[in-house]
Amino acid sequence: MTHKPRLRCSLVLLASLACAASNSAHAQDTRKVTEPVVPPVCALLTPASAMDAASQIQHAIDHCAAGHAVRLSGRDGRSDFVAGPLTLRSGVSLLIDQGVTLYASRNPAVYDRGNGTCGRITDASKGCKPFISASKTQGSGIYGEGIIDGQGGRVVEGLSESWWQLARRAQKLDAHQNVPRLIEITDARDFTLHHIALRNSANFHVTLNGVDGFTAWGVRIDTPATARNTDGIDPISSRNITIAHSVIRTGDDNIAIKASDKGPSENISVLHNRFYSGHGMSIGSETMGGVRRVLVDDLTLDGSTSGLRIKSDISRGGKVEQIRYRNVCQRNVKAPIDFSTRYNPRASGTLIPVYRDITLEAVHSVTPGRVTITGYDAAHALQVTLDQVSIADGAGRNISDASVSGNIAVPPADSCAGRFLPYPDMVAVATRPQLSLEQAKQYSYAEVLKYVGVAGQERIDPWDPLNDPLARGASFTPDYIVDPQARADGVKRFHSVQQAVSRAVADSKQNPAKRLYLLIRPGVYHELVYIPAVSAPLTMYGEGKDASATRITARLDASNSGAEYVARHGAQFRDAAPEVQAMYATIKDRNLIQTMATATVWVQSKGFQARNLTFENGYNKDTGNARAEELPNINNVHHQALALQVDGADKAQFENIRLIGFQDTLFLKSPQLGSTSRSFFNKSYIEGDVDFIFGDSTAYFYQSEIRTLGERGTSYVAAPDTHLDTRYGFVFDNCHFSHDNSANARAGKFYLLRQWFHSARCSPYAPVAVDGYACTYGPSNGYQAPKGTVARSSLEAVGKMVVLNSRIGSHINQLTPWADWNKPGTLAYRPAQYNAQQHWNYLRQAGIDPQRDLGYTEAPPATRIFLGEFNNSDE
């Protein structure tokens, strides 16, 4: 006996609205649809009793009576199930409790259809089974307040990329990715999705093929806007469909109604839904079977690329007719009306798309957006009626080969009042802002490295270090060779690196246009290396089998006195070039040398290059860096200790280098406040624990490993203090953020960044437990309890960082990878700021008027990005 879901109207307001709407739905979906009721439970599974979740869940489904559900529930603080493909039987449902997550396995082998192609890029797709399938079922469904997570952004087992990255790579290769869909329903009747949350699908979230009777009620779909081919719900050659009271945010069509050559899609109701990022409410692109009798009522679109969209072409066209859009509100939608019969302008075939009897009633866009209404030709004109349609002025319109009744007006001020609500889980999303594809293009290697100079007035100076002989692995003829085993002559051969650099400084005066090459033989060099700003650029390189074979190391830290500094290293500078001695002289007489003077290698020379070398600050490398956290050893402290400082040197290029340290391993400093210089790191390795990549210049890290050492209880990879008006800060592209597998790292509570609140002595952003405390804007930074001031320079040191196409280790907090600068209630606190608009708002909340106090002209847009990600995968 098959089971049909029981339906009722709830007494709560939301459901009562749906009951009222059921009359309008009746004209499209021929069923009388009300809110589904959860079926009784046949089996209760918990994580503790389901070590092999796939086999346990499938066994329960196979032995469950029709009309019942297998329930997944938490136990003893555990609430996660991980499973491979599951198949629902006729009349049997899944019920996932609130707080429980069913994760799709990341092992491509379990999805493979037998050809060994799942998880690969090939000339054809569909090499993977779906995660959950239902074929020829009646009365089955998925219910509950829990979550089904496709793990599309996690690294796939056996691969070095996520499902989404695989899809993006396939796009670049003009090929097909073989990745699993989340839920696939085929030739079924009366299937239900009720209140379930679907997220992070590797591909389409829900596809319906040849289905008669489908209800999605109160469903939440959530996947990043950058995740390719992640449609929300796709009815294909299906009929009697209702999608109601759902919220959908994804990377492709929010809903796409399609019709293959197997038959039409018809009798479809889309009621009381909210769409966010995605490609909108779509019909097509496959319409050859015909799409008809569709009602879209009470729809809100906020931030999608298209709004109401019908798309097809002559390779897949058919009739689209009797389509009703009613009571639709749109905001920040690029194309509110997008009806095109030439979806692929290069398509060939004879299946001409015909769109007729299309009606738009009370459809509004409160922001400007493009309008496209284009039929195929005059003989196949698109027929559309516009009734109370309005779109804000400011975008183009393309209307051709169309019979249009009515017009498009400017929206009334209150046309969509109260309609735009935040996505239900905005807090989690806000802490991991994702770039759009167009935004990500602005962070390409060529674009970022193109700008240099005064913040906000950078000049264009294209720089292509990957095309430099250094990156191409060219062999060089050395001008100088450092080899402790050979006889030194003081002209070409030297025993120390600094001696060779001093000679290069002197020689550069004779021919400042000639690049000089310094070869360092394999070995360990216990010294400091200072490279002053001189006319001739210098390339320093090793010839060992890898970068670790040639190591320059010292162990200064910020607590060393000037006297200690002189005692350790004064001798090596005694006969150095005057320019090198000048650098040394800025440090030797200090009481404490402080952070910026601890660098093992200090570079001021424009165009400096290094390849196949290791720069190390060996401070605490013999003892470990965790002693400060291990009571009672409270006097065994750790200090900042730089391996490399790039000090105002523009076009500094590092190829296959290793930077070894703990706190503050790499410092990237601009020539002066409010300007920037550029550094490029390729195929390199950088390790540390706290703020180990920091500074205010522009730096691009490519194809590199950034390794967090977890001996201390907390860790931040980067601490940029990029100026507010500087175009770019730190950009990481195709990098691997790895860890040392320590217990602290395995806890997954470390961070990618905290934005350095440089030189601030008090915080205006939160109260401090001091009587009469106040921190206000002033000409300088200072604090004398209980009052202090914070200067413009600190407020505008906002810190910028974007991570693209990278692999982020499990040590990074996946919910909030971007941290505040210290904790609320401390004098150094500042909250993480994701964009310029948030920076402005935080200033106002802190009692600092951006216009009156800082002279800013107007509030900046949120599109001025400080922090962002694109196409990353999580381990």
Side-chain angles (χ1 to χ4, degrees):
M1 179 178 178
T2 59
H3 168 69
K4 191 171 184 177
R6 292 173 289 169
L7 305 173
R8 65 171 173 83
C9 278
S10 170
L11 295 179
V12 299
L13 178 60
L14 185 65
S16 66
L17 289 174
C19 293
S22 65
N23 291 332
S24 63
H26 199 236
Q28 307 302 325
D29 187 337
T30 60
R31 304 173 300 155
K32 185 177 181 180
V33 178
T34 54
E35 184 173 6
V37 176
V38 177
V41 172
C42 64
L44 176 67
L45 300 181
T46 64
S49 63
M51 299 302 291
D52 180 358
S55 60
Q56 291 286 342
I57 296 170
Q58 191 62 58
H59 181 271
I61 291 170
D62 292 344
H63 292 82
C64 185
H68 292 74
V70 174
R71 179 181 175 189
L72 306 186
S73 187
R75 176 180 176 182
D76 298 332
R78 298 182 60 193
S79 57
D80 295 344
F81 295 79
V82 180
L86 301 170
T87 302
L88 290 175
R89 292 174 56 247
S90 189
V92 178
S93 298
L94 270 180
L95 171 60
I96 303 176
D97 283 356
Q98 186 172 10
V100 173
T101 301
L102 172 61
Y103 289 99
S105 170
R106 293 181 285 128
N107 181 1
V110 301
Y111 300 103
D112 195 80
R113 294 185 183 273
N115 296 321
T117 58
C118 189
R120 294 175 55 193
I121 295 174
T122 62
D123 293 333
S125 57
K126 299 184 179 179
C128 303
K129 303 172 187 174
F131 178 44
I132 298 175
S133 62
S135 178
K136 299 181 180 179
T137 61
Q138 182 167 355
S140 301
I142 303 174
Y143 298 78
E145 302 288 343
I147 298 168
I148 300 175
D149 192 318
Q151 302 204 87
R154 302 289 300 279
V155 174
V156 179
E157 293 180 15
L159 304 180
S160 61
E161 59 189 345
S162 69
W163 295 116
W164 296 337
Q165 289 173 322
L166 184 78
R168 190 64 65 186
R169 187 160 59 87
Q171 183 183 34
K172 293 179 180 178
L173 297 172
D174 194 22
H176 296 273
Q177 72 272 21
N178 288 277
V179 300
R181 295 175 176 179
L182 196 65
I183 300 171
E184 188 170 270
I185 307 160
T186 306
D187 297 330
R189 295 177 63 87
D190 296 322
F191 194 95
T192 300
L193 295 177
H194 182 244
H195 278 204
I196 195 70
L198 311 175
R199 71 184 186 193
N200 299 327
S201 179
N203 195 252
F204 299 159
H205 287 78
V206 183
T207 58
L208 317 173
N209 296 283
V211 172
D212 188 350
F214 170 83
T215 302
W217 191 291
V219 173
R220 295 153 289 151
I221 295 178
D222 191 13
T223 288
T226 54
R228 183 171 177 250
N229 298 144
T230 52
D231 291 22
I233 301 176
D234 286 6
I236 307 167
S237 296
S238 296
R239 62 196 305 268
N240 294 322
I241 308 297
T242 291
I243 302 168
H245 297 287
S246 296
V247 291
I248 302 176
R249 176 172 61 186
T250 187
D252 210 306
D253 295 315
N254 301 76
I255 291 177
I257 302 169
K258 307 175 184 181
S260 70
D261 55 7
K262 294 182 180 179
S265 280
E266 58 187 356
N267 306 334
I268 297 173
S269 299
V270 180
L271 311 171
H272 316 299
N273 299 294
R274 302 202 309 271
F275 295 172
Y276 297 86
S277 61
H279 294 180
M281 176 62 239
S282 299
I283 296 175
S285 59
E286 296 84 359
T287 60
M288 63 277 278
V291 178
R292 55 184 178 249
R293 293 190 293 278
V294 176
L295 172 67
V296 177
D297 190 14
D298 187 21
L299 174 64
T300 301
L301 300 109
D302 193 359
S304 58
T305 55
S306 290
L308 308 179
R309 188 181 195 192
I310 307 177
K311 52 180 178 175
S312 195
D313 56 49
I314 57 174
S315 70
R316 63 196 99 180
K319 291 183 179 179
V320 177
E321 55 190 346
Q322 301 176 57
I323 312 298
R324 303 288 182 269
Y325 302 102
R326 187 166 63 205
N327 193 19
V328 177
C329 278
Q330 305 182 61
R331 180 176 69 175
N332 297 324
V333 174
K334 293 180 180 178
I337 301 173
D338 190 3
F339 299 160
S340 173
T341 53
R342 299 179 187 272
Y343 177 57
N344 180 356
R346 297 183 300 275
S348 61
T350 59
L351 301 175
I352 296 176
V354 177
Y355 307 161
R356 63 189 185 193
D357 194 9
I358 314 295
T359 300
L360 284 69
E361 178 185 349
V363 172
H364 308 288
S365 176
V366 299
T367 54
R370 185 180 66 253
V371 173
T372 298
I373 303 175
T374 57
Y376 187 75
D377 54 28
H380 303 86
L382 192 157
Q383 299 175 5
V384 61
T385 299
L386 307 179
D387 181 7
Q388 301 177 66
V389 174
S390 64
I391 297 175
D393 286 336
R397 299 180 184 182
N398 179 15
I399 301 175
S400 63
D401 295 315
S403 173
V404 180
S405 174
N407 54 45
I408 300 174
V410 176
D414 60 348
S415 56
C416 290
R419 290 286 295 272
F420 300 107
L421 303 175
Y423 191 91
D425 192 21
M426 284 301 287
V427 173
V429 174
T431 56
R432 289 198 72 166
Q434 303 293 315
L435 306 184
S436 68
L437 180 59
E438 291 303 313
Q439 288 173 323
K441 291 177 181 178
Q442 300 303 310
Y443 291 85
S444 68
Y445 150 87
E447 186 69 17
V448 171
L449 295 179
K450 187 166 67 176
Y451 298 95
V452 67
V454 177
Q457 304 174 42
E458 293 98 336
R459 68 181 186 277
I460 294 178
D461 177 25
W463 179 38
D464 184 10
L466 286 175
N467 197 39
D468 190 276
L470 187 84
R472 298 203 307 269
S475 298
F476 303 124
T477 300
D479 298 288
Y480 316 99
I481 299 174
V482 180
D483 185 352
Q485 307 305 317
R487 182 176 179 178
D489 59 16
V491 176
K492 182 170 183 175
R493 297 186 180 276
F494 303 87
H495 286 165
S496 85
V497 181
Q498 187 64 71
Q499 289 171 350
V501 169
S502 286
R503 180 67 192 205
V505 169
D507 290 347
S508 71
K509 299 172 184 177
Q510 306 303 316
N511 188 0
K514 180 181 182 296
R515 176 173 287 278
L516 300 173
Y517 294 90
L518 193 164
L519 169 63
I520 307 174
R521 300 288 192 199
V524 179
Y525 298 84
H526 294 276
E527 59 177 304
L528 302 177
V529 177
Y530 292 175
I531 302 148
V534 293
S535 299
L538 177 67
T539 296
M540 181 186 296
Y541 65 104
E543 63 173 8
K545 63 179 182 179
D546 55 37
S548 64
T550 309
R551 177 162 56 102
I552 301 172
T553 183
R555 50 183 304 138
L556 291 173
D557 70 87
S559 71
N560 292 142
S561 66
E564 289 175 306
Y565 169 77
V566 171
R568 291 189 199 177
H569 298 288
Q572 76 168 82
F573 295 108
R574 189 172 299 122
D575 298 319
E579 296 87 347
V580 175
Q581 289 184 340
M583 297 170 73
Y584 166 72
T586 64
I587 303 171
K588 66 184 182 66
D589 296 324
R590 297 181 186 179
N591 182 26
L592 296 178
I593 66 171
Q594 301 180 335
T595 302
M596 311 316 176
T598 64
T600 300
V601 178
W602 181 6
V603 177
Q604 293 182 335
S605 179
K606 178 181 178 180
F608 175 79
Q609 295 179 335
R611 185 174 74 186
N612 205 34
L613 298 169
T614 294
F615 302 153
E616 177 188 64
N617 192 309
Y619 171 69
N620 274 358
K621 287 296 179 181
D622 53 345
T623 61
N625 208 39
R627 296 174 299 158
E629 277 81 22
E630 296 178 359
L631 297 175
N633 298 322
I634 57 174
N635 293 319
N636 294 329
V637 297
H638 47 256
H639 294 289
Q640 298 91 334
L642 279 62
L644 171 65
Q645 177 179 184
V646 181
D647 182 5
D650 188 39
K651 295 185 178 178
Q653 182 177 355
F654 301 89
E655 182 80 19
N656 187 32
I657 68 160
R658 291 169 56 84
L659 300 180
I660 307 299
F662 281 116
Q663 183 170 352
D664 293 3
T665 306
L666 171 61
F667 179 36
L668 298 159
K669 183 177 181 294
S670 287
Q672 63 261 346
L673 182 68
S675 66
T676 193
S677 52
R678 297 163 290 181
S679 297
F680 180 69
F681 295 81
N682 185 42
K683 296 180 179 177
S684 295
Y685 170 92
I686 306 170
E687 71 171 34
D689 54 19
V690 173
D691 306 336
F692 60 94
I693 302 174
F694 73 111
D696 64 343
S697 72
T698 297
Y700 207 95
F701 302 85
Y702 187 56
Q703 303 178 118
S704 296
E705 181 179 358
I706 314 299
R707 190 173 185 84
T708 294
L709 306 178
E711 292 183 4
R712 292 170 68 174
T714 189
S715 175
Y716 312 89
V717 170
D721 61 326
T722 326
H723 189 275
L724 172 67
D725 293 327
T726 295
R727 191 178 293 258
Y728 298 108
F730 298 164
V731 179
F732 295 83
D733 186 4
N734 275 283
C735 291
H736 181 199
F737 292 86
S738 65
H739 61 88
D740 61 358
N741 203 35
S742 61
N744 288 330
R746 292 196 301 272
K749 297 180 180 179
F750 291 166
Y751 299 95
L752 287 175
L753 161 146
R754 58 177 182 168
Q755 293 155 309
W756 185 13
F757 197 16
H758 197 162
S759 299
R761 297 293 178 262
C762 66
S763 173
Y765 297 105
V768 175
V770 174
D771 288 342
Y773 175 80
C775 183
T776 57
Y777 174 68
S780 61
N781 287 303
Y783 179 71
Q784 182 67 44
K787 299 184 182 300
T789 56
V790 60
R792 172 191 288 268
S793 59
S794 295
L795 296 173
E796 293 184 339
V798 297
K800 300 181 181 182
M801 175 169 157
V802 166
V803 182
L804 313 162
N805 310 307
S806 294
R807 180 173 173 177
I808 299 175
S810 58
H811 59 301
I812 298 298
N813 186 318
Q814 292 186 11
L815 181 62
T816 55
W818 313 106
D820 300 334
W821 183 260
N822 293 296
K823 296 179 180 180
T826 64
L827 286 172
Y829 167 71
R830 183 173 67 179
Q833 303 175 108
Y834 298 98
N835 55 61
Q837 186 179 85
Q838 195 172 50
H839 171 254
W840 172 287
N841 292 338
Y842 279 150
L843 289 174
R844 292 182 63 86
Q845 293 169 18
I848 299 171
D849 189 311
Q851 294 171 301
R852 181 194 66 228
D853 297 330
L854 300 173
Y856 301 162
T857 56
E858 59 183 357
T863 51
R864 283 183 58 188
I865 294 164
F866 295 173
L867 306 177
E869 297 182 69
F870 175 79
N871 194 38
N872 296 324
S873 61
D874 296 325
E875 293 181 342

